[in-house]
Amino acid sequence: TFFKKNLQIHSNPSDRSMLYIVTFLTAVLLLVHFTPLSCVQEPPSEAYLFASKRILNTYLAEGKDITIMYGIYNIGMKTAYDINLVDDTFDDSELSIITGLTDVTWSELPPDSNITHTVILRCPMGGVAYLNFSSAVLTYKLTKEGVDVIITPTSSPKLVGLMGNAEYSRKFEAHYIDWVVLAVMILPTLAIPFFMFRRSHRRYISKSKSH
């Protein structure tokens, strides 16, 4: 009789759905109960910095400027000291520095704070299809009088394509000269019929008045 009752319960679709829901909730509660507290991510007790290196330009083109922004973030619970950012990855034969420093130092960075730094470069003219942007190096100390230096790399944009100057101009520049030339070329085709119409119209008016 028990087997028959149990079979009837499982044959009922509503009871079967309720059983699935109860089983799922039980599994979730067991998972939460037995999850160790150590799995919950806590902020580091010391200073902990990580850094990013990003290209702000949407497109890179020959002879155009590139804006590189570095971001340094302290997600630890204490202040970091003697922070130094060095980026010696730029090839002088490919990129020239327009403004900004590639070796810069800050005295300290408090917890839950960040620093941004910007460098503007100039793209080469021709001969290069891609630019390889490697990671910069960030160093810092956990204490002001400490001797141990922590070294960490920044993120890296890696290999980025370089658009030709002619293609970039065709797609994104305003083309004011092209519009002026086009207007000069179109003007005679509009002006000549207009003056011919005005001339014939005046003749027609004068003949009408004479009659």
Side-chain angles (χ1 to χ4, degrees):
T1 58
F2 174 77
F3 177 75
K4 290 182 178 180
K5 291 181 179 179
N6 194 26
L7 182 63
Q8 291 177 359
I9 290 174
H10 284 284
S11 63
N12 191 340
S14 60
D15 292 339
R16 189 184 308 166
S17 301
M18 183 60 67
L19 181 61
Y20 290 156
I21 294 174
V22 171
T23 304
F24 175 75
L25 292 177
T26 303
V28 171
L29 291 175
L30 290 173
L31 181 63
V32 173
H33 179 73
F34 289 104
T35 300
L37 294 177
S38 59
C39 293
V40 179
Q41 188 70 28
E42 294 182 356
S45 58
E46 302 289 343
Y48 188 87
L49 304 187
F50 71 92
S52 63
K53 177 181 177 180
R54 298 191 296 127
I55 299 175
L56 299 185
N57 304 61
T58 305
Y59 302 97
L60 303 187
E62 297 175 352
K64 304 298 181 181
D65 291 346
I66 307 174
T67 302
I68 305 245
M69 189 178 76
Y70 306 87
I72 304 172
Y73 310 88
N74 186 358
I75 62 173
M77 299 182 66
K78 292 185 179 180
T79 301
Y81 299 93
D82 296 337
I83 303 138
N84 180 237
L85 178 69
V86 178
D87 194 348
D88 55 2
T89 62
F90 303 125
D91 190 349
D92 295 336
S93 63
E94 294 182 353
L95 295 168
S96 56
I97 300 176
I98 303 302
T99 183
L101 300 174
T102 57
D103 188 344
V104 60
T105 302
W106 297 270
S107 60
E108 61 182 40
L109 181 61
D112 297 326
S113 301
N114 65 84
I115 299 172
T116 57
H117 178 66
T118 304
V119 175
I120 298 178
L121 310 171
R122 180 69 51 82
C123 285
M125 287 296 295
V128 178
Y130 294 92
L131 293 175
N132 189 11
F133 293 92
S134 302
S135 300
V137 177
L138 178 71
T139 60
Y140 64 96
K141 296 180 180 179
L142 298 179
T143 60
K144 187 176 293 186
E145 296 81 10
V147 294
D148 294 334
V149 176
I150 298 177
I151 304 173
T152 180
T154 68
S155 61
S156 173
K158 298 191 182 296
L159 201 63
V160 181
L162 187 63
M163 189 180 297
N165 192 30
E167 183 182 1
Y168 181 86
S169 299
R170 179 172 54 84
K171 288 184 176 181
F172 302 109
E173 291 189 353
H175 303 287
Y176 294 116
I177 297 178
D178 296 340
W179 285 110
V180 171
V181 172
L182 180 63
V184 172
M185 294 175 62
I186 293 177
L187 186 61
T189 61
L190 298 177
I192 293 175
F194 174 75
F195 286 116
M196 292 180 65
F197 170 77
R198 293 285 296 176
R199 187 175 180 181
S200 61
H201 181 69
R202 288 178 181 177
R203 288 181 179 178
Y204 177 77
I205 295 298
S206 60
K207 288 182 179 180
S208 299
K209 290 182 178 179
S210 61
H211 291 291

